[in-house]
Amino acid sequence: MGRLVLAAVMLGAVALMGRAPAVSSWPVNAAPGTRVAGARTPDAAFSRPDRAVILAFDNTSLDDLRGIPTLWRFLQAGAFSVNHHTVLPTRSAPGFAAIASGRYADRTGALDNSFIAGSERASGFTFWETELGNGRPFGLEPPPWAAFNAAGLDVGAVGISPLVLQTDADVRRVAAMTNAAAAPSAYRGVAIYRAGGTREFGSPNVPWLWDQIGGFPGWPLREVEFPLTATALMHEHGIPVTFTYLENLHGNRRPGDYDQVLARHEAAFAAFFARLATAGVTPENTVFAITTDEGDFLAPNGGRSVGARGWLEASRPVGRVRVTGGAAANVYLDDAGDESRVRAAFRTMPGVQAVAWRAGLRAAHMAVADDPSRTPDFTIFGEPDVQFRIGSGTTTGRTAAPLWNHGTLHPDIETVWLGLRGPGIRAGPLDAWTDHTDILTTVQYLLGIARPDLDGRVVTEALTAWVLPDGALDPAVARLGALSKRVNAPLGAFVRHALTVSTRAALAEDTAEGERLDRALAALVDERDRLATEAAMLLRALAGGETTVTATFDALVRALEDLMNQINALARR
């Protein structure tokens, strides 16, 4: 059945039972700003957006957001979701990479805030093209700006990983400094990618930035005025697409600072939106996408500190053990490593919530096929108040209070918010289950850029009817979209069940039983990957204007539902 579905989708609408494709009212691959004649609008004509403003906060909650009234009101006038999700692991580097690229960590290569690449530890906060110690670039697929540039659009980035130079090493390896008077740090944090192929890194290479706001102030980016002013300046100077990082509001601040931080953000956002409007950048011609990379679990009295590496060393596994991470720890063994002893150590290690092992890592999109040296042998997810320490020494203790914890599995960490506003976006609550990869997919769809290579889906539930072709308006399409996310997303139901199975397999005292569970899970992950590919192709075909074909569509839905039943049954055994 699956091969027939895939073949039918690839052959197009004529092969799909002989039915002609519907005429799309929002055609992809048309130039931004195109007037779409015959669109389903009151004026019978509609202009697609010609700009995009993508803002990504760091660890910013709904309560934080409500404390910035100007931003809150702006978002409530568009499609607003509190059912948006991060990726795995729930850390900043994978999150920002997914927001910027529309891909999961197994394809971006941004596996965590730090990971092993070859024989060296690598930082997740690295420029996309920076070469790691194993000779591979940090970003493993075409960079996030490439598709925009191919469509004739310049792209600007402020502070956001991995689109800007992050370190002095990035500066030395990538950027040619043309202003010798500036320190290397001045070339971090700001980048412009021109459609013609030229680039400018750092404010010193962009006179209208350097003259007005100076060099990048560095991370943590507490001065909210800098990223918002730099973003507005880019749009004023004709850069139509921007990605911007904004620092978190609530963490690591002295008592009494929080209200001042909120007031500073309120003033900065009021000035930002007013400045954009003066430059003609408004929700009438620009798509705005605003979210946060991850949430936080608050342990007000401090959390538990577990020395993961020390615990494993005490278990005397054969060979070398390397550990990276925080609330989730990635464990790497060398060729002499004894998996069975490591698995035995996990059974008694305090604070372990789940273990991703072998097929479990593949299910969660944490196995990097294009650079296997990045893929850990195990990832252990801590309980929500646990931080795994990666050094040797004392194995248990307490963290400082309060602890804003993230990186592991908990609703406060995984479930975040998303605001979309602009042409073609309907106002009101957005209830659909979405994750970070869907943001770029939807933004580029609205801009008329077709992307068959992304992991996200077009969030049709957030769009008005007149921007969707006939085939995408059927409510069953939204059902297939939701089902595809349940099956394929790192925090969807399939992966949650897969982590249950993977944990049982990794912690099984009976080695044969653990291997059997892993093989059974691997078979379902293989089927998941195949069906997810078919679902993505069909959803793209429908969004591109092809009509729904009941037999093909229903067969795929049944196969996905059957797969969910199988993984659920395996998890319950």
Side-chain angles (χ1 to χ4, degrees):
M1 180 281 304
R3 287 189 293 273
L4 292 176
V5 173
L6 184 58
V9 174
M10 293 179 69
L11 287 173
V14 174
L16 293 177
M17 298 181 68
R19 295 176 61 176
V23 175
S24 172
S25 63
W26 196 256
V28 295
N29 292 330
T34 298
R35 299 291 290 178
V36 183
R40 287 181 288 269
T41 68
D43 299 326
F46 196 79
S47 293
R48 71 164 69 251
D50 55 11
R51 294 178 174 271
V53 176
I54 300 171
L55 305 178
F57 280 89
D58 196 349
N59 300 84
T60 297
S61 70
L62 273 175
D63 287 340
D64 296 331
L65 195 61
R66 292 188 184 99
I68 312 173
T70 294
L71 178 57
W72 178 256
R73 289 192 298 269
F74 181 88
L75 293 175
Q76 297 312 300
F80 189 77
S81 172
V82 293
N83 194 23
H84 188 68
H85 299 81
T86 64
V87 297
L88 283 178
T90 46
R91 300 278 281 175
S92 291
F96 287 121
I99 292 167
S101 72
R103 304 182 185 103
Y104 295 128
D106 57 352
R107 296 181 60 200
T108 64
L111 191 62
D112 207 328
N113 288 358
S114 66
F115 53 87
I116 302 299
S119 60
E120 298 183 9
R121 185 185 302 273
S123 171
F125 298 110
T126 302
F127 177 59
W128 190 274
E129 295 178 352
T130 295
E131 186 177 288
L132 304 181
N134 64 349
R136 301 301 308 280
F138 171 75
L140 293 175
E141 298 212 1
W145 57 86
F148 289 108
N149 287 172
L153 302 174
D154 295 344
V155 175
V158 183
I160 188 166
S161 172
L163 276 70
V164 297
L165 303 182
Q166 302 272 307
T167 65
D168 286 353
D170 284 343
V171 173
R172 289 192 298 270
R173 292 171 181 169
V174 178
M177 294 189 295
T178 58
N179 184 340
S185 60
Y187 298 88
R188 304 180 192 173
V190 174
I192 297 171
Y193 304 92
R194 303 287 184 179
T198 59
R199 310 170 174 192
E200 293 98 37
F201 291 106
S203 297
N205 286 325
V206 186
W208 42 266
L209 281 176
W210 183 251
D211 293 343
Q212 294 196 41
I213 57 176
F216 187 69
W219 294 275
L221 192 53
R222 296 300 194 203
E223 297 85 358
V224 65
E225 296 84 359
F226 182 95
L228 292 181
T229 301
T231 301
L233 278 165
M234 287 181 175
H235 284 276
E236 288 171 357
H237 285 79
I239 297 168
V241 177
T242 54
F243 292 84
T244 304
Y245 166 86
L246 297 164
E247 183 62 64
N248 78 74
L249 282 75
H250 60 248
N252 302 317
R253 300 187 188 277
R254 296 186 301 273
D257 282 355
Y258 182 63
D259 288 344
Q260 296 178 20
V261 169
L262 290 178
R264 189 169 183 175
H265 277 70
E266 168 62 14
F269 269 99
F272 175 65
F273 288 128
R275 186 165 186 170
L276 288 181
T278 299
V281 180
T282 71
E284 282 66 51
N285 59 23
T286 303
V287 56
F288 290 80
I290 306 177
T291 190
T292 183
D293 66 326
E294 62 194 354
D296 282 318
F297 174 85
L298 175 60
N301 299 317
R304 292 174 287 163
S305 177
V306 176
R309 181 180 161 199
W311 194 275
L312 292 172
E313 287 174 341
S315 71
R316 298 185 180 277
V318 176
R320 182 183 180 193
V321 177
R322 291 174 292 180
V323 182
T324 66
N330 299 312
V331 179
Y332 297 81
L333 308 179
D334 64 17
D335 291 341
D338 188 333
E339 269 196 352
S340 63
R341 293 196 180 195
V342 173
R343 290 164 58 193
F346 290 156
R347 288 198 288 271
T348 57
M349 182 184 291
V352 174
Q353 178 184 182
V355 181
W357 176 52
R358 294 186 184 175
L361 287 164
R362 285 204 297 121
H365 295 285
M366 293 175 61
V368 186
D370 200 35
D371 185 2
S373 69
R374 303 188 196 195
T375 305
D377 292 276
F378 303 90
T379 295
I380 49 174
F381 295 95
E383 292 171 351
D385 67 336
V386 164
Q387 275 282 319
F388 289 119
R389 292 196 314 277
I390 62 177
S392 56
T394 304
T395 56
T396 59
R398 301 292 298 179
T399 67
L403 172 66
W404 297 93
N405 205 29
H406 47 263
T408 189
L409 305 169
H410 189 275
D412 289 355
I413 300 169
E414 306 160 358
T415 305
V416 292
W417 52 268
L418 167 66
L420 298 170
R421 188 173 173 190
I425 297 171
R426 63 161 187 83
L430 173 59
D431 297 327
W433 198 106
T434 58
D435 72 10
H436 284 336
T437 63
D438 302 325
I439 296 172
L440 189 72
T441 310
T442 303
V443 167
Q444 290 189 330
Y445 176 80
L446 288 169
L447 291 174
I449 302 172
R451 294 297 303 278
D453 59 332
L454 301 185
D455 290 323
R457 75 175 184 98
V458 177
V459 185
T460 57
E461 300 91 334
L463 306 183
T464 51
W466 56 81
V467 306
L468 293 169
D470 294 337
L473 289 172
D474 190 324
V477 175
R479 177 186 171 202
L480 176 62
L483 186 55
S484 71
K485 298 305 292 191
R486 289 184 66 208
V487 167
N488 197 42
L491 287 166
F494 180 93
V495 176
R496 293 188 184 279
H497 290 319
L499 288 176
T500 297
V501 177
S502 186
T503 302
R504 284 171 44 207
L507 303 186
E509 294 190 35
D510 183 335
T511 300
E513 172 64 7
E515 296 281 355
R516 184 195 68 78
L517 282 171
D518 183 69
R519 286 194 301 272
L521 178 58
L524 293 183
V525 173
D526 289 342
E527 180 71 355
R528 186 281 304 269
D529 290 347
R530 183 179 68 80
L531 292 175
T533 298
E534 295 180 6
M537 292 178 69
L538 181 52
L539 288 168
R540 281 194 294 269
L542 295 169
E546 294 180 5
T547 54
T548 302
V549 179
T550 303
T552 299
F553 191 95
D554 290 349
L556 181 54
V557 168
R558 286 194 300 271
L560 289 166
E561 290 175 338
D562 181 62
L563 179 66
M564 288 301 304
N565 290 334
Q566 292 181 61
I567 189 67
N568 183 45
L570 184 61
R572 291 177 179 274
R573 286 181 191 169

